[in-house]
Amino acid sequence: MRVAVVFSIFLTIRVANTISDKFFPPDFVFGVSTSAYQIEGAWNLSGKGESMLDYLSHTYPNSITDRSNGDIACDSYHKIDEDIEMLKHLGVNFYRFSLSWSRILPTGSIEGGVNLAGVKYYSDMLDKLKAAKIDAMVTLVHFDVPIGFIKEKMFRTEKLNQMFVDYARLAFNLFGDRVKYWLTINEPAGFSKDEMRTFYTDRGRDVYLTAHNIIKCHAAIYHLYNKEFREQQGGKLSIALNTDWYEPASDSKEDIEAAERALMFEFGWIAHPLIYGDYPEIMKKAIASSPSPLRLPVFTYEEKETIKDTVDFIALNHYSSFLTTNDPNKDVDRTFDKDIGILKTLDPSWETTILDWLHVAPSGMRKVLNWINKTYGNKPILITENGYVEGGTLKDDRRINYLQTYLSSVLDAIYIDNINVIGYSTWSLMDNWELYSGYSAKFGLYYVNFTSPNRERIAKDSVGFYKNVLESRHLVNNRNAGNHV
Ligand code: BGC
């Protein structure tokens, strides 16, 4: 008890000293994020086809901490009006959500037919958002690719690339008049490395093939948007890229290089081709010097010309940090992790959470924004995900602390470092099906009662905090905001 009290005083002082008193710039936009599979439910209703996540959670329940699935999830398919009321209450400028590809195209391809009920669901939702004056940020694919991708070796061949482009064209045609920001795919690095791994036959090679095809799909969709839609629809298009911050654990050359390598493998892997037209040299070199040196696919000259400069802004998902040392045994195997060649440790001052990858290290936000700016030029950066996990509480003071300190770090990047950060979205609007942790890990501003058929939503304390930040555009004196729905 005594320890807890001392800790909380320490926390208060530390927070009070570090929170920026600057105002968010007038055109800075705020949002909240979700994804289709994680919230919608209705997995087999109204004509929806099966997705990879349906298949994964039904076929490999042991890979999910609580053996759960998203069959019902938050039931947002039936509760969209309530979700929009929550968005209105928060006062967000935009809502980031994803389309379920197999709800719109049950087989994944146009030839398999368009599911009108699915189209209506998203179309009505966009109308409601418009009426509420909330901009839409739409992700085309947030992990839940149609089941056909499993049979066809996912993205390891180019066979399905055209299917993705056709789906994008359909989405632009159907919804593009009401969408301000498009994201082609969520976290291609994480998707290629983690979500797909169950389906790989040769992990050390397939991981690179998957990302390679996704990069080409993204570029094809970017050009399609430019050619056929941008003029009338005027949206912005990007791809949501994730990275942690990697801090060298010491001043040694090896550790500094290890940290840079980690950033290049996680972020540069996708960002470099889409901005400069090819994989980072550091990455090429690391794989070329591994026991199996030819695993990274090579872009042709024409492909390089096509893929480069295909993001309108940088969309960043950032949550956590690691201390990084060089792995002396990095050359012994042909896996993605050995290719990066780092060992990760934690700074003891970082608060840990119930997930082993998420630590509260707000300075990492400012550092990663600086690194992106230094490496990729002064492109606008929109933070499309950042958030805190707990095991279930309405008094989520630690989430408030996380949001406040990370947002303060964003203000420092804007005002002290002059980085062009244009917006921020927190993960997530509400508790949802958290991938491999199921319902045991909760990221929501709103609590969802998953044991009740009505899936009631209840505001946590962080709702009041975030709402006040959005209203005041300021971080100080918002901690005990209270008064929420
Ligand atoms: C993913 C989300 C996920 C969140 C928290 C992000 O990497 O885009 O789908 O729920 O992290 O783990």
Side-chain angles (χ1 to χ4, degrees):
M1 184 59 143
R2 192 155 159 205
V3 173
V5 171
V6 170
F7 179 67
S8 88
I9 290 170
F10 168 72
L11 205 67
T12 315
I13 292 168
R14 201 165 59 105
V15 165
N17 281 340
T18 55
I19 299 304
S20 168
D21 62 359
K22 294 277 192 279
F23 284 83
F24 286 93
D27 48 0
F28 188 93
V29 285
F30 283 100
V32 284
S33 302
T34 61
S35 86
Y37 184 80
Q38 293 177 271
I39 66 163
E40 281 178 9
W43 79 280
N44 58 356
L45 298 185
S46 314
K48 180 179 165 295
E50 193 177 4
S51 82
M52 183 277 278
L53 286 178
D54 294 315
Y55 175 80
L56 185 91
S57 59
H58 293 153
T59 317
Y60 304 96
N62 287 339
S63 62
I64 320 290
T65 310
D66 56 4
R67 296 178 56 87
S68 66
N69 54 52
D71 287 3
I72 304 177
C74 309
D75 202 17
S76 283
Y77 188 68
H78 297 111
K79 292 178 77 84
I80 190 62
D81 289 335
E82 251 180 78
D83 293 354
I84 290 180
E85 284 310 309
M86 282 144 56
L87 296 168
K88 279 165 54 179
H89 178 76
L90 284 164
V92 290
N93 305 107
F94 69 93
Y95 178 39
R96 177 182 172 212
F97 63 97
S98 76
L99 305 177
S100 158
W101 183 343
S102 59
R103 192 179 293 292
I104 297 172
L105 293 171
T107 67
S109 76
I110 305 272
E111 295 74 53
V114 177
N115 177 30
L116 295 180
V119 171
K120 183 171 172 356
Y121 171 65
Y122 294 116
S123 191
D124 288 354
M125 180 166 154
L126 287 165
D127 286 345
K128 287 172 187 173
L129 287 172
K130 199 155 191 76
K133 296 194 172 45
I134 296 170
D135 288 327
M137 176 184 282
V138 177
T139 315
L140 288 171
V141 181
H142 196 118
F143 305 147
D144 54 347
V145 285
I147 189 74
F149 276 68
I150 292 177
K151 294 195 200 102
E152 295 294 342
K153 301 190 177 358
M154 308 305 291
F155 282 108
R156 276 172 282 156
T157 70
E158 286 193 36
K159 201 165 165 190
L160 300 183
N161 286 16
Q162 190 54 44
M163 214 159 109
F164 191 5
V165 178
D166 291 345
Y167 159 57
R169 179 184 278 107
L170 180 70
F172 296 154
N173 264 320
L174 291 170
F175 310 124
D177 56 334
R178 288 155 290 169
V179 176
K180 183 157 179 181
Y181 314 90
W182 287 102
L183 299 168
T184 49
I185 184 160
N186 182 64
E187 302 190 351
F191 178 79
S192 306
K193 198 160 62 66
D194 303 325
E195 271 66 40
M196 292 299 106
R197 66 170 180 250
T198 317
F199 311 109
Y200 289 158
T201 43
D202 178 353
R203 288 189 185 173
R205 184 183 299 272
D206 292 348
V207 62
Y208 297 114
L209 286 173
T210 302
H212 197 72
N213 276 313
I214 290 175
I215 289 166
K216 291 201 237 175
C217 288
H218 167 86
I221 294 170
Y222 186 83
H223 293 298
L224 166 75
Y225 191 73
N226 278 353
K227 215 168 129 209
E228 297 180 25
F229 299 95
R230 191 182 289 275
E231 207 182 311
Q232 319 93 285
Q233 300 186 348
K236 299 270 180 226
L237 190 141
S238 190
I239 179 166
L241 303 184
N242 58 295
T243 189
D244 292 323
W245 171 247
Y246 294 95
E247 179 81 21
S250 77
D251 290 342
S252 76
K253 186 169 166 281
E254 289 74 22
D255 289 354
I256 293 173
E257 284 176 3
E260 184 70 9
R261 219 170 34 248
L263 289 160
M264 281 302 179
F265 266 83
E266 193 162 356
F267 194 84
W269 180 15
I270 315 293
H272 235 77
L274 297 182
I275 292 173
Y276 298 132
D278 202 0
Y279 293 117
E281 283 308 313
I282 296 178
M283 192 174 177
K284 291 202 245 179
K285 225 173 112 196
I287 299 165
S289 63
S290 77
S292 177
L294 301 176
R295 285 169 296 133
L296 187 65
V298 176
F299 292 112
T300 63
Y301 174 79
E302 288 73 33
E303 285 170 347
K304 287 181 188 172
E305 290 299 301
T306 309
I307 59 178
K308 81 170 180 218
D309 215 0
T310 56
V311 293
D312 294 328
F313 59 96
I314 291 180
L316 169 71
N317 291 358
H318 171 75
Y319 290 82
S320 189
S321 293
F322 287 96
L323 294 181
T324 314
T325 50
N326 182 49
D327 177 358
N329 296 318
K330 60 174 176 294
D331 302 327
V332 300
D333 207 352
R334 41 174 280 156
T335 64
F336 184 84
D337 285 343
K338 283 294 174 195
D339 293 335
I340 309 180
I342 58 157
L343 299 172
K344 298 179 188 175
T345 53
L346 300 185
D347 183 323
S349 74
W350 295 338
E351 181 195 319
T352 53
T353 69
I354 58 165
L355 293 178
D356 61 1
W357 58 266
L358 212 175
H359 325 108
V360 186
S363 63
M365 174 64 96
R366 180 173 169 191
K367 289 177 185 173
V368 92
L369 291 169
N370 272 274
W371 180 85
I372 291 174
N373 182 264
K374 184 184 83 192
T375 316
Y376 296 109
N378 201 25
K379 282 204 176 291
I381 306 174
L382 207 157
I383 298 157
T384 38
E385 276 184 43
N386 170 250
Y388 183 82
V389 70
E390 27 81 20
T393 178
L394 294 178
K395 301 226 130 321
D396 57 345
D397 203 45
R398 284 174 187 270
R399 173 169 292 106
I400 294 174
N401 180 56
Y402 178 99
L403 295 176
Q404 192 182 37
T405 50
Y406 272 72
L407 279 166
S408 179
S409 207
V410 173
L411 283 175
D412 288 346
I414 295 174
Y415 285 103
I416 303 175
D417 311 325
N418 216 6
I419 311 290
N420 189 9
V421 191
I422 58 170
Y424 172 94
S425 185
T426 189
W427 185 272
S428 177
L429 171 62
M430 62 193 137
D431 294 343
N432 54 53
W433 187 80
E434 171 50 30
L435 306 168
Y436 299 98
S437 306
Y439 298 105
S440 67
K442 298 174 190 299
F443 276 91
L445 299 181
Y446 282 85
Y447 167 89
V448 175
N449 185 353
F450 291 107
T451 57
S452 150
N454 291 327
R455 298 295 194 272
E456 289 89 3
R457 285 89 159 112
I458 304 171
K460 301 180 191 175
D461 285 355
S462 55
V463 165
F465 168 77
Y466 200 53
K467 178 179 169 62
N468 276 14
V469 171
L470 272 48
E471 258 166 29
S472 65
R473 309 191 65 82
H474 197 239
L475 292 173
V476 182
N477 298 331
N478 278 314
R479 289 183 66 80
N480 297 314
N483 285 339
H484 24 84
V485 205

